[in-house]
Amino acid sequence: MKMEDRWLTPNRWSRPQRQLIGTRGIVVHWVANPNTSALANRNYFESRKAGLRGFGSTHEIIGLEGEIIRCVPEDEMAYHVGAKRYTKQALDNLSTYPNDCTYGIELCHVDWDGRMTRQTLLVLLQRLVDLCDRWQLDPLKDLYLHQEIVGWKDCPRWWVTHPEDWQAFKGLVKAKMEKGETSFEFE
């Protein structure tokens, strides 16, 4: 797994350098920009530093070939789930402002349906197992789609339109954690 730190420039709009109050969940997103690289999407977040496109960022992006670009350090807040209102689930389990207690992962995808490559999914699986284990998160309760936080956003589209696939993927994360497996192939 290739991971590169390409931190966003500290600024008000995408990297405010505010500390998380703790990590209570991980939120999965899609970049909504088919067949683009992790670096191109990182650079999009960097371009927001002038405030012309409003707030927005993420902690990391997993590319089509499984490469990871980290944009915001894991103990800092990223602007990946901003909204005027949040779902009851988010308010009950996270906070009144979920950006302050969640870790955001953006996924590159190949088409407008949101299909991801096998390599993207394998690396996501490994990252979720690692992060849930480290932060003592329960994959069945503490992994969220962006849509589950805000209630309206079609993000990530594949799993919003195929919720059974999302449930199965979370179950796979849990099974890998329980078995202590380090092999990340789909069965």
Side-chain angles (χ1 to χ4, degrees), residues 91-122:
L91 294 170
D92 288 348
N93 299 332
L94 299 169
S95 78
T96 57
Y97 185 61
N99 278 323
D100 69 8
C101 64
T102 58
Y103 187 84
I105 299 177
E106 292 272 348
L107 304 174
C108 294
H109 49 93
V110 298
D111 59 24
W112 281 107
D113 290 333
R115 286 184 184 88
M116 293 154 277
T117 65
R118 179 178 182 82
Q119 201 56 32
T120 300
L121 290 169
L122 287 172

Side-chain angles (χ1 to χ4, degrees), residues 47-112:
S47 76
R48 297 182 88 138
K49 68 185 175 189
L52 300 176
R53 294 185 185 102
F55 296 95
S57 57
T58 191
H59 288 94
E60 67 183 62
I61 304 164
I62 301 176
L64 297 171
E65 296 176 18
E67 72 282 10
I68 299 170
I69 295 187
R70 296 194 315 165
C71 305
V72 174
E74 63 186 36
D75 62 341
E76 288 183 23
M77 184 177 72
Y79 291 129
H80 62 102
V81 288
K84 292 181 180 168
R85 282 186 266 144
Y86 295 98
T87 64
K88 181 174 179 358
Q89 177 185 22
L91 294 170
D92 288 348
N93 299 332
L94 299 169
S95 78
T96 57
Y97 185 61
N99 278 323
D100 69 8
C101 64
T102 58
Y103 187 84
I105 299 177
E106 292 272 348
L107 304 174
C108 294
H109 49 93
V110 298
D111 59 24
W112 281 107

